[in-house]
Amino acid sequence: MTSHVLTVTCQSKRGIVAAISGKLAELGCNITDSAQFDDPGTGQFFMRVSFVSEQGHNEAALEAGFAPVGADFDMNWAMHDEATKMKVILMVSRFGHCLNDLLYRWRIGALPIDIVGVVSNHMEYQKVVVNHDIPFHCIKVTKENKPQAEAAIMQVVKDTGAELIVLARYMQILSDDMCQAMSGRIINIHHSFLPSFKGANPYKQAFERGVKLIGATAHYVTADLDEGPIIEQDTVRITHAQSPNDYVSLGRDVEAQVLSRAIHAHIHHRVFINGNKTVVFPASPGSYASERMG
């Protein structure tokens, strides 16, 4: 049996769930997990269904069989073979905590992706990446060459067939053109403080204000810097006894965790963009299992 995921977005109306489940049953499929959400504010309906094809139909046959239902409800829908790993490019500058965490999770199978390349504007992590048998691309970025540098990055995306870019602490602002070209396919991670601090050395600012919570936010990249639809967030508590360096270490740890969870949600087709927000469905049973422990 082959496992698949069906994702659906459409205007909410009566009979959608019945039509979907009925068609999948007709196609010889057994639903193993399902989640849905009606947004009363927008009138949009979102659904994610995991199922197995007990008759062994491939993706093309399933798509052909389901197409009439999609047309009847004017759905934006897609079928995904769960055995196919998403092709991902990681981008990093000089902070390597997220990169190293993702490489480890990828190596043990906890993050089932196909890392087709790592792009950096520095050389610090070339050896680490090459030692994992992953292509490394050093693309320097300056004010003068930014358009050419982004063109080179997009060429890597094209050549590798990458479906997702992950900014694993890549400290360059992407152009509006690149954000639009990869809309919904670039994930960024950054710190988030309560209250918020921006600019140089935010951890020092937080320490001086006696912040008790620091955290991280993973979101899709848009032309509005750090304001794209949020996928995942988390926080860690700080006490008066922590030093500024403690803030940095704890912040890096939560950044790595939040970024990996956001990627996990995206590659399993659990995230639906809903205007400036997202709908993020829970993980299906077994989707966190690793191929090996170390």
Side-chain angles (χ1 to χ4, degrees), residues 32-46:
T32 57
D33 185 52
S34 179
Q36 68 188 70
F37 174 67
D38 266 291
D39 185 344
T42 62
Q44 286 290 295
F45 173 85
F46 304 89

PDB file of all heavy atoms in Angstrom, residues 32-46:
ATOM      1  N   THR A  32      -6.377   7.437   7.169  1.00  0.00           N
ATOM      2  CA  THR A  32      -5.685   7.114   8.416  1.00  0.00           C
ATOM      3  C   THR A  32      -5.579   8.304   9.363  1.00  0.00           C
ATOM      4  O   THR A  32      -5.332   8.133  10.557  1.00  0.00           O
ATOM      5  CB  THR A  32      -4.273   6.588   8.117  1.00  0.00           C
ATOM      6  OG1 THR A  32      -3.549   7.573   7.352  1.00  0.00           O
ATOM      7  CG2 THR A  32      -4.328   5.289   7.331  1.00  0.00           C
ATOM      8  N   ASP A  33      -5.740   9.514   8.840  1.00  0.00           N
ATOM      9  CA  ASP A  33      -5.671  10.712   9.680  1.00  0.00           C
ATOM     10  C   ASP A  33      -6.336  11.854   8.918  1.00  0.00           C
ATOM     11  O   ASP A  33      -6.193  11.960   7.692  1.00  0.00           O
ATOM     12  CB  ASP A  33      -4.216  11.065   9.991  1.00  0.00           C
ATOM     13  CG  ASP A  33      -4.092  12.225  10.966  1.00  0.00           C
ATOM     14  OD1 ASP A  33      -4.718  12.163  12.038  1.00  0.00           O
ATOM     15  OD2 ASP A  33      -3.392  13.205  10.650  1.00  0.00           O
ATOM     16  N   SER A  34      -7.056  12.703   9.648  1.00  0.00           N
ATOM     17  CA  SER A  34      -7.760  13.794   8.987  1.00  0.00           C
ATOM     18  C   SER A  34      -7.894  14.976   9.927  1.00  0.00           C
ATOM     19  O   SER A  34      -8.104  14.809  11.135  1.00  0.00           O
ATOM     20  CB  SER A  34      -9.160  13.324   8.542  1.00  0.00           C
ATOM     21  OG  SER A  34      -9.872  14.375   7.909  1.00  0.00           O
ATOM     22  N   ALA A  35      -7.738  16.193   9.379  1.00  0.00           N
ATOM     23  CA  ALA A  35      -7.925  17.418  10.150  1.00  0.00           C
ATOM     24  C   ALA A  35      -8.557  18.455   9.236  1.00  0.00           C
ATOM     25  O   ALA A  35      -8.246  18.518   8.034  1.00  0.00           O
ATOM     26  CB  ALA A  35      -6.594  17.926  10.697  1.00  0.00           C
ATOM     27  N   GLN A  36      -9.446  19.284   9.807  1.00  0.00           N
ATOM     28  CA  GLN A  36     -10.119  20.304   9.010  1.00  0.00           C
ATOM     29  C   GLN A  36     -10.354  21.544   9.853  1.00  0.00           C
ATOM     30  O   GLN A  36     -10.357  21.499  11.077  1.00  0.00           O
ATOM     31  CB  GLN A  36     -11.451  19.778   8.490  1.00  0.00           C
ATOM     32  CG  GLN A  36     -12.479  19.544   9.594  1.00  0.00           C
ATOM     33  CD  GLN A  36     -13.718  18.853   9.081  1.00  0.00           C
ATOM     34  OE1 GLN A  36     -13.663  17.671   8.729  1.00  0.00           O
ATOM     35  NE2 GLN A  36     -14.824  19.582   9.045  1.00  0.00           N
ATOM     36  N   PHE A  37     -10.548  22.680   9.155  1.00  0.00           N
ATOM     37  CA  PHE A  37     -10.803  23.939   9.844  1.00  0.00           C
ATOM     38  C   PHE A  37     -11.615  24.846   8.949  1.00  0.00           C
ATOM     39  O   PHE A  37     -11.296  25.033   7.769  1.00  0.00           O
ATOM     40  CB  PHE A  37      -9.481  24.618  10.215  1.00  0.00           C
ATOM     41  CG  PHE A  37      -9.649  25.997  10.803  1.00  0.00           C
ATOM     42  CD1 PHE A  37     -10.246  26.181  12.035  1.00  0.00           C
ATOM     43  CD2 PHE A  37      -9.215  27.121  10.107  1.00  0.00           C
ATOM     44  CE1 PHE A  37     -10.417  27.454  12.578  1.00  0.00           C
ATOM     45  CE2 PHE A  37      -9.375  28.394  10.644  1.00  0.00           C
ATOM     46  CZ  PHE A  37      -9.975  28.555  11.887  1.00  0.00           C
ATOM     47  N   ASP A  38     -12.680  25.402   9.522  1.00  0.00           N
ATOM     48  CA  ASP A  38     -13.483  26.432   8.868  1.00  0.00           C
ATOM     49  C   ASP A  38     -13.129  27.773   9.486  1.00  0.00           C
ATOM     50  O   ASP A  38     -13.257  27.945  10.701  1.00  0.00           O
ATOM     51  CB  ASP A  38     -14.972  26.160   9.089  1.00  0.00           C
ATOM     52  CG  ASP A  38     -15.592  25.362   7.958  1.00  0.00           C
ATOM     53  OD1 ASP A  38     -15.715  25.919   6.852  1.00  0.00           O
ATOM     54  OD2 ASP A  38     -15.945  24.192   8.190  1.00  0.00           O
ATOM     55  N   ASP A  39     -12.686  28.727   8.679  1.00  0.00           N
ATOM     56  CA  ASP A  39     -12.391  30.059   9.189  1.00  0.00           C
ATOM     57  C   ASP A  39     -13.630  30.926   9.023  1.00  0.00           C
ATOM     58  O   ASP A  39     -13.965  31.326   7.900  1.00  0.00           O
ATOM     59  CB  ASP A  39     -11.208  30.663   8.427  1.00  0.00           C
ATOM     60  CG  ASP A  39     -10.766  32.004   9.001  1.00  0.00           C
ATOM     61  OD1 ASP A  39     -11.545  32.610   9.768  1.00  0.00           O
ATOM     62  OD2 ASP A  39      -9.649  32.445   8.693  1.00  0.00           O
ATOM     63  N   PRO A  40     -14.319  31.245  10.117  1.00  0.00           N
ATOM     64  CA  PRO A  40     -15.541  32.041   9.993  1.00  0.00           C
ATOM     65  C   PRO A  40     -15.286  33.467   9.505  1.00  0.00           C
ATOM     66  O   PRO A  40     -16.182  34.105   8.947  1.00  0.00           O
ATOM     67  CB  PRO A  40     -16.109  32.048  11.430  1.00  0.00           C
ATOM     68  CG  PRO A  40     -14.931  31.781  12.313  1.00  0.00           C
ATOM     69  CD  PRO A  40     -14.035  30.884  11.515  1.00  0.00           C
ATOM     70  N   GLY A  41     -14.068  33.950   9.690  1.00  0.00           N
ATOM     71  CA  GLY A  41     -13.752  35.308   9.257  1.00  0.00           C
ATOM     72  C   GLY A  41     -13.618  35.451   7.760  1.00  0.00           C
ATOM     73  O   GLY A  41     -13.997  36.478   7.181  1.00  0.00           O
ATOM     74  N   THR A  42     -13.085  34.422   7.114  1.00  0.00           N
ATOM     75  CA  THR A  42     -12.865  34.492   5.662  1.00  0.00           C
ATOM     76  C   THR A  42     -13.792  33.571   4.875  1.00  0.00           C
ATOM     77  O   THR A  42     -13.865  33.675   3.645  1.00  0.00           O
ATOM     78  CB  THR A  42     -11.414  34.110   5.323  1.00  0.00           C
ATOM     79  OG1 THR A  42     -11.173  32.748   5.723  1.00  0.00           O
ATOM     80  CG2 THR A  42     -10.437  35.020   6.051  1.00  0.00           C
ATOM     81  N   GLY A  43     -14.454  32.656   5.567  1.00  0.00           N
ATOM     82  CA  GLY A  43     -15.300  31.696   4.881  1.00  0.00           C
ATOM     83  C   GLY A  43     -14.531  30.608   4.170  1.00  0.00           C
ATOM     84  O   GLY A  43     -15.091  29.852   3.362  1.00  0.00           O
ATOM     85  N   GLN A  44     -13.221  30.495   4.484  1.00  0.00           N
ATOM     86  CA  GLN A  44     -12.380  29.488   3.845  1.00  0.00           C
ATOM     87  C   GLN A  44     -12.398  28.172   4.631  1.00  0.00           C
ATOM     88  O   GLN A  44     -12.483  28.154   5.856  1.00  0.00           O
ATOM     89  CB  GLN A  44     -10.943  29.989   3.732  1.00  0.00           C
ATOM     90  CG  GLN A  44     -10.725  31.056   2.672  1.00  0.00           C
ATOM     91  CD  GLN A  44     -10.862  30.505   1.266  1.00  0.00           C
ATOM     92  OE1 GLN A  44     -10.081  29.676   0.829  1.00  0.00           O
ATOM     93  NE2 GLN A  44     -11.875  30.976   0.546  1.00  0.00           N
ATOM     94  N   PHE A  45     -12.307  27.080   3.879  1.00  0.00           N
ATOM     95  CA  PHE A  45     -12.264  25.735   4.442  1.00  0.00           C
ATOM     96  C   PHE A  45     -10.895  25.134   4.149  1.00  0.00           C
ATOM     97  O   PHE A  45     -10.391  25.238   3.029  1.00  0.00           O
ATOM     98  CB  PHE A  45     -13.362  24.873   3.811  1.00  0.00           C
ATOM     99  CG  PHE A  45     -13.301  23.418   4.191  1.00  0.00           C
ATOM    100  CD1 PHE A  45     -13.891  22.959   5.357  1.00  0.00           C
ATOM    101  CD2 PHE A  45     -12.662  22.497   3.366  1.00  0.00           C
ATOM    102  CE1 PHE A  45     -13.855  21.622   5.703  1.00  0.00           C
ATOM    103  CE2 PHE A  45     -12.607  21.152   3.705  1.00  0.00           C
ATOM    104  CZ  PHE A  45     -13.206  20.717   4.876  1.00  0.00           C
ATOM    105  N   PHE A  46     -10.290  24.515   5.153  1.00  0.00           N
ATOM    106  CA  PHE A  46      -8.970  23.891   5.012  1.00  0.00           C
ATOM    107  C   PHE A  46      -9.067  22.445   5.486  1.00  0.00           C
ATOM    108  O   PHE A  46      -9.689  22.163   6.516  1.00  0.00           O
ATOM    109  CB  PHE A  46      -7.927  24.629   5.851  1.00  0.00           C
ATOM    110  CG  PHE A  46      -7.816  26.095   5.550  1.00  0.00           C
ATOM    111  CD1 PHE A  46      -8.615  27.020   6.222  1.00  0.00           C
ATOM    112  CD2 PHE A  46      -6.931  26.552   4.587  1.00  0.00           C
ATOM    113  CE1 PHE A  46      -8.527  28.368   5.954  1.00  0.00           C
ATOM    114  CE2 PHE A  46      -6.829  27.912   4.312  1.00  0.00           C
ATOM    115  CZ  PHE A  46      -7.634  28.819   4.989  1.00  0.00           C
TER     116      PHE A  46
END
